[in-house]
Amino acid sequence: MNKLENPLDSDIAGPAPRHRTTQVKVGDVAVGGGAPIVVQSMTNTDTADIDGTIAQVAALSRAGSEMVRITVDREEAAAAVPHIRDGLAKRGITTPLIGDFHYIGHKLLAAYPACAEALAKYRINPGNVGFKDKRDTQFADIIEIANKNGKPVRIGANWGSLDQELLTKLMDENAASPNPRDVRAVTREAMVQSALLSAARAEELGMPKDRIILSAKVSAVQDLIAVYQDLASRSDYAIHLGLTEAGMGSKGIVASSAALGILLQQGIGDTIRISLTPEPGGDRTREVQVGQELLQTMGFRTFVPLVAACPGCGRTTSTTFQELARSIQDFIRDEMPAWKTKYPGVEELNVAVMGCIVNGPGESKHANIGISLPGTGEAPAAPVFVDGKKFRTLRGPTISADFKALVIDYIDQRYGQGAKVPAPAAE
């Protein structure tokens, strides 16, 4: 057998080197230039509802969102922004707020200087910042205010609100070409040009490159990949990734993960947002969790301890392992805001909750702490493994509670101050 026929002889490919980008500071958060990839989210509250927006930003921040975008669409919203910033500060939350502006952003920022000052970044859509003769003037007004306040901007082209004049121009040129491209390719080119031309204009107006972030959001996975590959190859601006209108539930998660995963693997992307449509009354923080899990699953960052659990089969007719895996996973995520300071490094923890003897002991040995619960027909005993060695066997109706207590003890002894994990004892 030659080397190509033996996968065990091959090196496992890692991610490509990060695309070289200029670093931008958004509040205290570094974006690009080799900084860790940032998870971002957006509220869906009416920004004029100060208390409601504070509550949602706080929830997103606790969930791990490192920047939060809020809609600034009218005077009441602009007037509310500094109060939202101050209300969050009283709660000890300093997560940078990004103002999302469309159509009248130039007017709102000029009329409400406290809003312009309170925001950490402005998002400008070059497709609707202004139309015809007003476009350059209104874009320039926003850049001037950003420069005055020392704020970065994200110039975000979007498939659904693309600069129609630019698109028409490129379509006409394409139609006259001896080798015309398909309509989607021309539309992608319009997206890239819209972002790059706007960035160049911002620099002409005095905006330094280290205060510019670009994005080019599309709702189709293959188009998104192509647009961002082109954008990255033609610039070194910091890049924000996101599949716009990704959808609801598993569809949105799968589509976003597929598109962003490929780009991240190619070294493209400095901030990400998973744009999920929440279920009616659903939790907005879900998009933060998915973003974190994507980065952690791919090995770019660690946010929370991993809980490995088997999918279940005919050998695991009991639901105990499922209930225990969910209980521990939810407990860890709920406690992480406090654990970040109390237990430095706890995000590296690996926990295994397995359902039978087939893979249970092996997976549990690979984890920091793991349990192999009894499957159908097995003896009612659950061996627990700590750092690869058998530590204890749990029995009886309190197996779940007993293992959860062992996980908590392990965390305290391994990551707490001055203690160490007990040596596994043979049974």
Side-chain angles (χ1 to χ4, degrees):
M1 180 180 288
N2 62 38
K3 187 171 183 179
L4 291 178
E5 293 173 331
N6 185 359
L8 296 180
D9 289 338
S10 301
D11 291 333
I12 297 174
R18 292 281 298 282
H19 173 59
R20 182 176 61 85
T21 58
T22 303
Q23 187 167 103
V24 180
K25 291 297 292 293
V26 181
D28 292 330
V29 178
V31 174
I37 300 165
V38 173
V39 175
Q40 180 177 316
S41 61
M42 184 176 184
T43 60
N44 60 358
T45 57
D46 179 356
T47 305
D49 175 6
I50 295 172
D51 291 339
T53 303
I54 288 173
Q56 191 170 87
V57 173
L60 291 166
S61 178
R62 284 195 300 270
S65 183
E66 293 158 304
M67 296 190 290
V68 177
R69 183 157 50 113
I70 60 176
T71 298
V72 187
D73 58 345
R74 63 193 197 281
E75 291 188 356
E76 292 84 355
V81 169
H83 300 291
I84 293 167
R85 188 269 317 269
D86 294 343
L88 289 165
K90 289 178 181 177
R91 297 188 181 196
I93 297 169
T94 58
T95 301
L97 296 177
I98 302 162
D100 194 51
F101 294 99
H102 300 274
Y103 306 108
I104 60 170
H106 61 294
K107 292 182 179 179
L108 295 175
L109 286 167
Y112 293 88
C115 169
E117 185 276 328
L119 293 167
K121 183 175 74 174
Y122 311 154
R123 187 273 175 127
I124 310 171
N125 185 338
N128 60 33
V129 69
F131 302 97
K132 297 188 180 298
D133 295 340
K134 294 182 179 180
R135 176 184 293 108
D136 287 345
T137 300
Q138 293 174 184
F139 180 82
D141 288 345
I142 296 178
I143 297 300
E144 181 181 351
I145 294 170
N147 284 334
K148 178 181 176 181
N149 287 278
K151 306 294 183 180
V153 297
R154 171 159 73 91
I155 297 172
N158 194 294
W159 189 269
S161 52
L162 187 53
D163 182 339
Q164 291 303 301
E165 287 189 52
L166 175 61
L167 179 60
T168 299
K169 173 179 175 290
L170 293 180
M171 287 292 185
D172 290 345
E173 291 175 355
N174 185 63
S177 170
N179 298 299
R181 295 183 293 172
D182 65 72
V183 170
R184 297 186 77 86
V186 177
T187 306
R188 292 195 298 266
E189 174 63 20
M191 291 277 293
V192 174
Q193 285 199 26
S194 179
L196 293 178
L197 290 170
S198 297
R201 178 59 179 151
E203 288 198 62
E204 290 175 3
L205 294 166
M207 173 72 67
K209 182 173 283 190
D210 64 2
R211 290 213 296 265
I212 298 174
I213 297 173
L214 299 186
S215 66
K217 292 190 174 183
V218 185
S219 58
V221 169
Q222 295 296 343
D223 286 317
L224 188 89
I225 294 168
V227 164
Y228 273 107
Q229 287 173 334
D230 202 2
L231 185 63
S233 71
R234 292 160 64 175
S235 74
D236 62 352
Y237 294 103
I239 291 177
H240 170 75
L241 296 183
L243 184 77
T244 190
E245 286 87 44
M248 183 179 289
S250 61
K251 186 270 180 184
I253 294 171
V254 171
S256 291
S257 298
L260 271 60
I262 290 171
L263 291 166
L264 292 168
Q265 185 72 9
Q266 294 175 352
I268 299 170
D270 301 298
T271 76
I272 66 168
R273 182 195 171 202
I274 307 295
S275 300
L276 296 180
T277 303
E279 300 287 345
D283 189 349
R284 191 68 167 180
T285 63
R286 179 68 170 145
E287 66 177 49
V288 180
Q289 181 179 340
V290 173
Q292 289 183 330
E293 289 177 353
L294 174 61
L295 293 178
Q296 185 155 342
T297 299
M298 295 188 69
F300 291 108
R301 293 187 64 182
T302 53
F303 297 95
V304 297
L306 292 176
V307 179
C310 69
C313 66
R315 299 178 61 93
T316 56
T317 52
S318 168
T319 60
T320 302
F321 78 97
Q322 299 166 332
E323 294 161 356
L324 180 56
R326 170 57 64 86
S327 174
I328 290 176
Q329 187 165 279
D330 289 348
F331 174 75
I332 286 171
R333 188 166 284 280
D334 289 344
E335 293 297 321
M336 273 306 294
W339 285 357
K340 286 179 182 178
T341 54
K342 186 177 181 181
Y343 299 119
V346 70
E347 64 274 8
E348 303 283 351
L349 177 72
N350 288 308
V351 181
V353 180
M354 305 303 294
C356 80
I357 199 171
V358 174
N359 292 321
E363 287 287 351
S364 296
K365 289 176 183 178
H366 288 305
N368 296 115
I369 179 168
I371 186 170
S372 179
L373 292 161
T376 305
E378 296 177 25
V384 174
F385 298 84
V386 172
D387 292 331
K389 296 182 180 179
K390 188 174 180 182
F391 177 63
R392 186 173 299 170
T393 299
L394 302 179
R395 296 180 174 84
T398 61
I399 285 178
S400 294
D402 292 344
F403 181 66
K404 187 174 179 180
L406 289 176
V407 171
I408 296 169
D409 286 346
Y410 182 95
I411 290 171
D412 189 58
Q413 293 181 58
R414 175 161 184 160
Y415 299 101
Q417 296 182 353
K420 62 182 181 179
V421 176
E427 294 190 75

